[in-house]
């Protein structure tokens, strides 16, 4: 019997119905459809509307669809990991709300905050529980309601982000399929380039923090851009090298969807042709922890059992990382 690996045995996603187009943003801030498409590749993004609906609303929808298509009884789920930067509340954890929402009454759960690298971190974490035998069915979700922390007076950020959640089921695999390798990195020196200043323990919410618009995302785009390209290509290269993977061996690169130019530069540095690079940023913008599972979900029909996928992300923190996995599903529905 081979070593147990953690394989993705189902994938699903949920994006809200409301489509915020570049044209509508032209009315809200001083921007143009042309600028947004040329500088980011984004054509539209989804926005969750509705009083009292948070990230867990989308996560429950994604998880329910996943359970249904994999014929999984929610009571059999052992662990729920929710990667998010926009939890419903500071506490309790959104994972607990999701478990409750889907009836996963035998699961323990926790949130994982690693900004745009959240899903990569969560998938790697979930895999450890499967590989060790501690859990048999792990639900890993990644997603955000970015619209809840965006300043719709700041054209440099509000055009980029959107809302959505992706979900995967992890189960043991003894055929050698599933997660093969991962490299996760972080560097707190990046905190000055991408953050939300207030609302935490350092600057609790006050009327002043609200007036100073400190409960919104602040990003120094150019610095983040440069670090994203450099670190995503380096970490992906490292994982390829130590697994003896050449360009031919990779079926698809699934990069974090922050900016089409970042994706193309990263692929260029890795020497990967664009037909092996999965992109859906034009549809959803940057959904932070949601981009990678939503991108896999959108392209799932392309994947064949045994395909080598390389997932790579970069985000606030800074955080970044890459995962090499072998697709384990025969016909992905
Ligand atoms: O997912 C987490 C990690 N995040 C990222 O990876 C994002 C990384 N950064 C980026 O994707 C890009 O830096 C942005 C898309 C955020 C900005 O694009 P850029 O090409 O780096 O623009 P810039 O910040 O250098 O700004 C160029 C110009 C500025 O005008 P001036 O100062 O040259 O007159 C901006 O004010 O573009 C202006 N600008 C805009 N113009 C129209 C910035 N945002 C907009 C906008 N519409 N929405």
């Amino acid at each position: 019997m081979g070593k147990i690996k953690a394989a993705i045995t189902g994938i699903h996603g949920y994006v809200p119905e409301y489509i915020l187009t570049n044209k509508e943003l032209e009315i809200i801030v001083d921007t143009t459809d042309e600028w947004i498409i040329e500088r980011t590749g984004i054509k539209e993004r989804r926005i969750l509307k509705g009083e009292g609906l948070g990230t867990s609303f989308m996560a429950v929808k994604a998880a329910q669809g996943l359970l249904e298509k994999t014929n999984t009884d929610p009571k059999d789920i052992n662990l729920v990991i929710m990667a998010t930067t926009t939890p419903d509340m500071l506490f309790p954890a959104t994972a607990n709300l999701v478990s409750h929402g889907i009836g996963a009454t035998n699961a323990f759960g926790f949130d994982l905050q690693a900004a745009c690298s959240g899903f990569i971190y969560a998938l790697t974490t979930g895999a450890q529980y499967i590989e060790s035998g501690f859990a048999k069915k792990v639900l890993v979700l990644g997603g955000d309601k970015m619209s809840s922390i965006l300043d719709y007076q700041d054209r440099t950020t509000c055009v980029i982000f959107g809302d959505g959640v992706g979900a995967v089921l992890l189960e043991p695999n003894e055929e050698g399929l599933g997660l093969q390798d991962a490299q996760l990195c972080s560097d707190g020196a990046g905190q000055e380039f991408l953050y939300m200043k207030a609302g935490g323990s350092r600057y609790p919410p006050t009327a002043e923090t609200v007036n100073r618009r400190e409960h919104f995302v602040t990003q120094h785009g150019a610095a983040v851009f440069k670090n994203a390209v450099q670190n995503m290509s380096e970490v992906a290269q490292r994982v390829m090298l130590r697994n003896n993977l050449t360009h031919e061996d990779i079926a698809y690169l699934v990069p974090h969807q922050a900016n089409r130019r970042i994706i193309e530069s990263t692929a260029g540095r890795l020497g990967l042709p664009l037909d092996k690079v999965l992109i859906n940023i034009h549809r959803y913008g940057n959904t932070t922890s949601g981009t990678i599972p939503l991108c896999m979900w959108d392209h799932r029909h392309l994947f064949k059992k045994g395909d080598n996928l390389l997932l790579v992300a970069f985000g606030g923190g800074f955080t970044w990382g890459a995962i090499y996995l072998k697709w384990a599903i025969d016909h992905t529905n």
Side-chain angles (χ1 to χ4, degrees):
M1 195 174 84
K3 186 178 171 292
I4 289 174
K5 296 207 180 290
I8 292 176
T9 54
I11 184 156
H12 201 66
Y14 176 83
V15 290
E17 275 169 30
Y18 189 83
I19 298 174
L20 176 59
T21 61
N22 292 348
K23 281 282 168 211
E24 189 177 347
L25 279 166
E26 285 181 356
I27 303 163
I28 302 170
V29 285
D30 180 16
T31 191
T32 60
D33 180 39
E34 294 72 33
W35 190 95
I36 301 172
I37 291 178
E38 194 191 310
R39 306 306 294 165
T40 72
I42 301 166
K43 292 184 176 157
E44 57 189 41
R45 66 291 289 141
R46 302 299 180 101
I47 302 294
L48 181 63
K49 303 258 187 185
E51 179 74 23
L53 300 184
T55 298
S56 74
F57 174 83
M58 298 184 286
V60 166
K61 296 261 189 211
Q64 282 170 336
L66 178 63
L67 294 176
E68 198 182 311
K69 67 161 61 159
T70 55
N71 256 323
T72 303
D73 182 342
K75 293 193 172 48
D76 291 339
I77 302 285
N78 309 117
L79 165 61
V80 175
I81 306 179
M82 177 79 228
T84 188
T85 303
T86 51
D88 281 33
M89 295 172 270
L90 267 182
F91 76 92
T94 302
N96 297 146
L97 310 180
V98 175
S99 297
H100 179 67
I102 62 172
T105 46
N106 295 315
F108 71 108
F110 55 86
D111 288 1
L112 194 155
Q113 203 287 93
C116 295
S117 308
F119 183 75
I120 297 262
Y121 273 49
L123 198 61
T124 308
T125 304
Q128 310 307 308
Y129 286 92
I130 298 279
E131 288 169 13
S132 67
F134 195 92
K136 293 270 182 272
K137 288 183 193 290
V138 177
L139 190 55
V140 178
L141 303 113
D144 280 284
K145 183 185 171 187
M146 290 306 292
S147 61
S148 65
I149 55 169
L150 289 177
D151 183 350
Y152 284 93
Q153 295 182 15
D154 176 6
R155 68 176 181 174
T156 69
T157 51
C158 75
V159 304
I160 299 172
F161 295 95
D163 304 339
V165 172
V168 299
L169 183 64
L170 278 183
E171 292 183 274
N173 183 289
E174 291 179 20
E175 296 174 82
L177 303 173
L179 264 75
Q180 307 293 310
D181 193 15
Q183 178 73 48
L184 305 178
C185 314
S186 62
D187 180 2
Q191 65 183 291
E192 63 185 281
F193 302 111
L194 185 48
Y195 56 88
M196 187 174 99
K197 186 170 178 180
S201 56
R202 200 187 285 183
Y203 300 106
T206 62
E208 287 72 34
T209 61
V210 171
N211 287 337
R212 288 197 297 265
R213 312 186 76 74
E214 290 171 356
H215 294 270
F216 296 124
V217 173
T218 298
Q219 173 169 254
H220 300 277
V224 178
F225 189 109
K226 198 171 125 227
N227 279 280
V229 173
Q230 191 174 328
N231 288 311
M232 289 208 320
S233 50
E234 260 175 32
V235 76
Q237 190 87 61
R238 206 176 341 156
V239 169
M240 281 173 73
L241 270 176
R242 72 183 182 211
N243 290 283
N244 298 315
L245 294 171
T246 67
H247 312 136
E248 285 80 51
D249 301 318
I250 306 280
Y252 297 103
L253 177 75
V254 191
H256 169 51
Q257 311 282 309
N259 186 317
R260 196 184 166 101
R261 291 184 295 132
I262 293 178
I263 295 170
E264 288 175 354
S265 302
T266 303
R269 286 188 183 203
L270 293 172
L272 277 174
L274 275 181
D275 59 359
K276 289 192 169 195
V277 181
L278 301 185
I279 299 179
N280 66 349
I281 191 170
H282 50 288
R283 302 184 65 200
Y284 309 137
N286 182 349
T287 52
T288 301
S289 310
T291 61
I292 289 181
L294 286 173
C295 192
M296 288 198 290
W297 179 53
D298 268 6
H299 294 95
R300 64 195 180 279
H301 300 301
L302 295 177
F303 304 156
K304 293 191 293 294
K305 190 172 174 180
D307 270 356
N308 291 326
L309 304 189
L310 191 58
L311 321 183
V312 63
F314 180 86
F318 292 137
T319 56
W320 66 102
I323 290 177
Y324 157 40
L325 65 82
K326 284 185 181 291
W327 195 249
I329 313 175
D330 239 335
H331 299 285
T332 313
N333 59 352

